[in-house]
Amino acid sequence: MTDSILEVRDIHTFIGQFHILEGVSVSVPVGSITVLLGRNGAGKTTTLRSIMGLTPPARGQILFDGKNIAGKHPHAIAQLGIGYVPEHRAIFRELTVHENLRIAERKRGDLARKADFIFELFPDLKRLIDLPGGNLSGGQQQMLAVARALVPDNRLLLIDEPSEGLAPVIIEQLMAAISRLAESSSVLLVEQNFRVASRLAQQYVIIEEGQSPAAGKIDALVQDAALVQRYLGVA
Ligand SMILES: Nc1ncnc2c1ncn2[C@@H]1O[C@H](COP(=O)(O)OP(=O)(O)O)[C@@H](O)[C@H]1O
Ligand SMILES: [Mg+2]
């Protein structure tokens, strides 16, 4: 499809002998935010890891910009312009904020080109530039984790549970930044907070027991209390 930056089609992923994804399909329209919703253990992280090639699917297709990337190495997939922000703020605690950003470069000069944009989104990071990552608050570390994915030119960002464990005011800041960065690249987000997700995303995909039983426009989901209750267990 020409208007989707990403089309995951019926992927099956095994971890060891376990059949974790049993037919997941996800479409991410260009220039918008799509959220993966679902209970703990449903397969959301495995879906993102499958897209990145970290747990490559045994079956199914993953079309990025119309080309199948399933089976490529994670490094090659990243090179195509997909940024990944894993769960739990994977930053280097011993390196400074600046060093964390520098090593996220894909080619020389990436950071210099993107610095203004990144520091406009996350002014705290500019102030904290010479501090070790480990000295930052949880929210600041998450901002740094997202900022790292903005250093190279990425057309798609996969962001896994950025709000986990953060205070509401920090979540607001982070979501405002994600909303802004979606103006320049498409986003596939995992977000367990339904209220946050529904304000941020335009599309949703429900992940449930390794499958994707429902998907559509987020506005329609917000109206459908029965569907929300059934898959997410929230009223
Ligand atoms: N390394 C692993 N070994 C075995 N099972 C795993 C592994 N990683 C994930 N799983 C299982 O895969 C399922 C989906 O996990 P995950 O994708 O992390 O779910 P979610 O992100 O939706 O909470 C869970 O049942 C989890 O226990
Ligand atoms: Mg997860």
Side-chain angles (χ1 to χ4, degrees):
M1 261 204 265
T2 50
D3 59 349
S4 290
I5 184 80
L6 184 77
E7 276 286 326
V8 175
R9 292 189 181 158
D10 196 27
I11 57 168
H12 290 246
T13 297
F14 292 79
I15 299 178
Q17 85 239 43
F18 301 107
H19 195 169
I20 304 292
L21 300 186
E22 305 179 15
V24 165
S25 298
V26 175
S27 178
V28 180
V30 173
S32 65
I33 303 178
T34 299
V35 65
L36 298 182
L37 297 167
R39 293 186 173 90
N40 269 342
K44 304 178 299 294
T45 295
T46 306
T47 299
L48 297 191
R49 289 176 55 83
S50 295
I51 295 165
M52 286 312 291
L54 296 164
T55 53
R59 274 169 44 205
Q61 285 187 311
I62 299 175
L63 304 180
F64 177 63
D65 209 13
K67 291 179 211 63
N68 192 16
I69 60 168
K72 285 186 186 289
H73 287 283
H75 178 71
I77 291 171
Q79 289 282 347
L80 292 172
I82 305 181
Y84 178 42
V85 184
E87 283 177 297
H88 312 308
R89 300 160 211 156
I91 59 153
F92 295 97
R93 301 177 60 86
E94 296 76 22
L95 300 185
T96 66
V97 168
H98 186 240
E99 288 163 343
N100 266 279
L101 293 171
R102 271 296 302 280
I103 59 169
E105 287 190 334
R106 202 169 281 145
K107 53 184 193 300
R108 193 194 291 256
D110 277 346
L111 181 57
R113 274 191 297 280
K114 293 298 189 59
D116 287 349
F117 175 66
I118 290 170
F119 294 137
E120 200 195 315
L121 278 181
F122 302 115
D124 277 9
L125 295 184
K126 188 169 190 175
R127 194 166 50 78
L128 302 168
I129 192 86
D130 292 320
L131 279 189
N135 288 25
L136 272 51
S137 70
Q140 290 162 344
Q141 289 184 21
Q142 187 59 270
M143 288 172 191
L144 178 56
V146 174
R148 284 170 43 82
L150 303 179
V151 171
D153 286 322
N154 283 318
R155 298 177 57 205
L156 174 66
L157 298 172
L158 313 179
I159 308 178
D160 201 347
E161 299 214 14
S163 73
E164 196 183 14
L166 302 182
V169 58
I170 307 296
I171 296 176
E172 287 295 321
Q173 281 177 31
L174 192 61
M175 294 301 152
I178 291 174
S179 181
R180 283 241 10 238
L181 65 88
E183 291 166 16
S184 51
S185 69
S186 311
V187 175
L188 179 59
L189 178 74
V190 173
E191 176 54 59
Q192 80 284 24
N193 184 326
F194 178 64
R195 200 182 55 81
V196 167
S198 62
R199 283 173 40 212
L200 193 64
Q202 290 83 49
Q203 294 81 222
Y204 75 92
V205 179
I206 303 280
I207 305 293
E208 171 87 351
E209 295 186 355
Q211 297 184 318
S212 47
K217 298 255 184 255
I218 201 94
D219 297 347
L221 180 64
V222 171
Q223 307 292 326
D224 194 338
L227 194 69
V228 173
Q229 176 63 38
R230 176 171 168 198
Y231 289 120
L232 307 174
V234 293

